[in-house]
Amino acid sequence: MTISKVYARVVYDSRGNPTVEVVISTEKGKFSAIVPSGAHHNSHECLDLRDNDPKKWNGRGVSQAVQNVNEIIAPALIKANLDVTDQESIDEFLIDLDGTPTKEKLGANAILAVSLAVAKAGAGKKGSPLYKHIADLAKLHEYPFLIPTPFFNVLNGGIHSGSGLTFQEFMVVPYGAPSFFEAVRYATEIFHTLRTLTIEKYGSSSANLGDEGGIAPNVENARQALDLIVSAIKGAGYEGQVGIAIDASASDFYKEGKYDLNFKNEELSNAIDYLTSDQLAELYWDLINKYPIVSLEDPFSEDDWEAWTKYYPKFQSKVQIVADAITSTTPEIIEQGIEKKIANVLLLKLNQIGTLTEAIDAAKLAYDAGWAVQVSHRSGETEDTTIADLAVGLRTAQIKSGAPARSERFAKYNQIIRIEDDLEKYAVYAGKNFHDSNKS
């Protein structure tokens, strides 16, 4: 079955910014995909093509990316007459059509939207669920399927909130739940308890939501945030069954070779107070030993390889270390990270690399090195649920898609609930084994 039509349009993400939707038409019907966007654009990731026209969408328009799909990709792809189930050939065709290392000619947002819509069309041709089709593409179709442990971002900081909190994400991880469905229930109860506790302590305005749906109280530091979350876990009755994960997003506060914990407050920011990587590592170590932290993401800057290699051996004895900005879902950099032993979890973001095939290859590269993989949303999200199927299809055992609030976040969690329900006895919830996805 070949493609009869490829059409792109402008739609909107959760921040109210434009993004790209692509619809692929075959004799089986129409199949669409929408790409998200992140607040971060790391130096190594593929280009999220924007118009940079200040008169429209504050420069964030994607008209050129949409035009590239409709005027360049569409006629070329239809003429190529490739079968929609041959994802690798189609993705290779798209990569060659662009011809640049970071997909800057056509835009990774344009290319990824096409790639994901093709994957859905391929699943449609086979009459297969998308997660099963992805498992087939990755040659990871053992039964039972692995349902990932969710990482819920319940408290937002960093550039995802208006508070002064330095670290970007504080997540709860319901590893002790008996199923994904129950894990979501645990998280919603903790989230509502957290919201109540926050209002009681900091006032009603403190319950405002950040970019990823978590509350964004004006807490001063990580300890205050963690104390709130621990109280919420206890208050909801799940102590010992739920861990905490932190995404520090340290590249955001890396200045002059050091770390500025007051980077969001110009009045308090002073170079004299910047922390060295050793001092920052000491802060993490204190937090890890005081709180039930199970995961630490981007503890150091993407440019501070020395700190990553120095402290991974120590940290990994207590928590998993997740690489995001430093690896950017890019195989060449992942290989460097594996060689230098910087982490043991790859954060997988589709729009950092630009095609489904390349994302699958990145995940398998991590697996081969004994790393785990965590599928991730972006802060500018949409109602598209592809990453839910990706996590199940790739047996990643971990997914983060924001707070148990806001429909663009819950869309992914609801999709996994459906998958778990449909699979019944052919599904196993990763739970406490969230770090052993490639061994489960």
Side-chain angles (χ1 to χ4, degrees):
M1 184 191 302
T2 55
I3 297 166
S4 59
K5 185 178 180 181
V6 180
Y7 176 72
R9 62 169 67 95
V10 177
V11 293
Y12 289 84
D13 69 17
S14 59
R15 285 199 183 99
N17 288 326
T19 190
V20 182
E21 179 180 42
V22 165
V23 182
I24 297 285
S25 297
T26 73
E27 58 195 72
K28 286 287 187 178
K30 295 182 178 181
F31 305 88
S32 66
I34 312 174
V35 295
S37 65
H40 299 91
H41 298 287
N42 305 317
S43 57
H44 306 296
E45 67 181 75
C46 291
L47 179 69
D48 182 46
L49 184 62
R50 298 287 165 169
D51 300 337
N52 298 315
D53 179 357
K55 296 180 181 179
K56 292 184 177 180
W57 294 297
N58 299 312
R60 298 287 297 163
V62 292
S63 300
Q64 185 60 57
V66 167
Q67 184 177 327
N68 288 345
V69 174
N70 291 332
E71 297 183 5
I72 300 174
I73 296 175
L77 188 56
I78 292 170
K79 183 178 179 181
N81 202 38
L82 297 168
D83 191 285
V84 289
T85 60
D86 191 355
Q87 186 77 36
E88 186 173 351
S89 292
I90 290 177
D91 285 344
E92 184 177 344
F93 177 84
L94 295 171
I95 293 166
D96 291 343
L97 189 63
D98 178 90
T100 65
T102 57
K103 302 176 176 65
E104 60 191 58
K105 177 184 175 183
L106 300 175
N109 43 351
I111 292 171
L112 180 62
V114 175
S115 178
L116 298 184
V118 165
K120 293 180 180 181
K125 175 185 176 179
K126 292 161 59 177
S128 171
L130 182 57
Y131 66 86
K132 176 64 166 62
H133 179 52
I134 290 172
D136 291 342
L137 294 174
K139 299 180 174 60
L140 292 172
H141 34 66
E142 316 100 50
Y143 285 94
F145 278 92
L146 195 62
I147 303 299
T149 302
F151 285 51
F152 296 93
N153 182 2
V154 295
L155 196 149
N156 292 180
I159 66 171
H160 289 174
S161 80
S163 75
L165 185 60
T166 306
F167 298 161
Q168 183 171 276
E169 298 179 23
F170 293 80
M171 295 165 271
V172 293
V173 187
Y175 57 76
S179 65
F180 186 88
F181 180 83
E182 286 296 284
V184 176
R185 182 174 68 83
Y186 287 16
T188 58
E189 293 173 7
I190 292 167
F191 184 74
H192 291 303
T193 303
L194 177 63
R195 188 174 185 277
T196 299
L197 291 173
T198 303
I199 291 172
E200 290 174 355
K201 189 171 181 65
Y202 295 100
S204 58
S205 63
S206 66
N208 293 334
L209 301 186
D211 277 350
E212 298 183 351
I215 62 168
N218 195 25
V219 296
E220 296 177 359
N221 54 55
R223 289 183 178 86
Q224 290 182 354
L226 289 164
D227 285 338
L228 272 174
I229 295 171
V230 166
S231 295
I233 292 171
K234 290 180 179 178
Y238 297 114
E239 187 176 12
Q241 301 179 68
V242 176
I244 297 174
I246 295 175
D247 173 10
S249 194
S251 294
D252 290 338
F253 53 95
Y254 188 62
K255 297 180 180 179
E256 302 169 14
K258 294 185 178 181
Y259 295 89
D260 178 14
L261 297 190
N262 293 311
F263 84 106
K264 297 177 70 178
N265 190 326
E266 292 184 4
E267 294 181 2
L268 295 177
S269 179
N270 190 319
I272 296 174
D273 299 321
Y274 293 176
L275 301 185
T276 64
S277 57
D278 290 343
Q279 291 171 321
L280 182 60
E282 184 177 346
L283 170 60
Y284 291 138
W285 191 248
D286 289 344
L287 297 177
I288 289 167
N289 282 287
K290 181 177 179 181
Y291 299 96
I293 297 170
V294 297
S295 180
L296 183 58
E297 178 185 333
D298 278 1
F300 303 105
S301 168
E302 63 185 285
D303 298 317
D304 195 0
W305 282 77
E306 182 179 351
W308 283 86
T309 56
K310 181 177 181 179
Y311 284 104
Y312 166 68
K314 180 178 182 178
F315 289 163
Q316 63 92 27
S317 66
K318 291 272 191 177
V319 298
Q320 68 173 21
I321 301 299
V322 185
D324 174 18
I326 195 169
T327 45
S328 297
T329 318
T330 304
E332 296 81 3
I333 308 173
I334 296 168
E335 288 176 346
Q336 293 178 38
I338 291 167
E339 181 182 351
K340 293 180 181 294
K341 298 180 179 178
I342 63 168
N344 54 10
V345 183
L346 171 68
L347 198 75
L348 190 70
K349 291 178 174 175
L350 286 166
N351 75 328
Q352 285 183 337
I353 192 63
T355 67
L356 177 59
T357 298
E358 290 170 294
I360 291 172
D361 289 344
K364 295 178 78 172
L365 179 62
Y367 286 157
D368 288 344
W371 287 26
V373 176
Q374 183 178 116
V375 168
S376 175
H377 64 154
R378 299 308 306 258
S379 52
E381 259 302 333
T382 77
E383 64 269 29
D384 190 290
T385 62
T386 300
I387 65 168
D389 288 82
L390 182 70
V392 176
L394 290 186
R395 302 177 63 81
T396 64
Q398 303 182 31
I399 187 171
K400 70 171 187 175
S401 186
R406 295 177 44 157
S407 59
E408 81 277 359
R409 313 292 156 180
F410 244 120
K412 286 72 167 174
Y413 300 133
N414 284 340
Q415 175 67 359
I416 298 177
I417 288 173
R418 297 183 193 103
I419 292 171
E420 182 179 60
D421 193 44
D422 289 343
L423 284 169
E424 297 179 337
K425 65 180 180 179
Y426 297 107
V428 172
Y429 175 57
K432 295 178 181 178
N433 298 318
F434 60 83
H435 187 70
D436 298 320
S437 50
N438 54 327
K439 302 171 188 173
S440 300

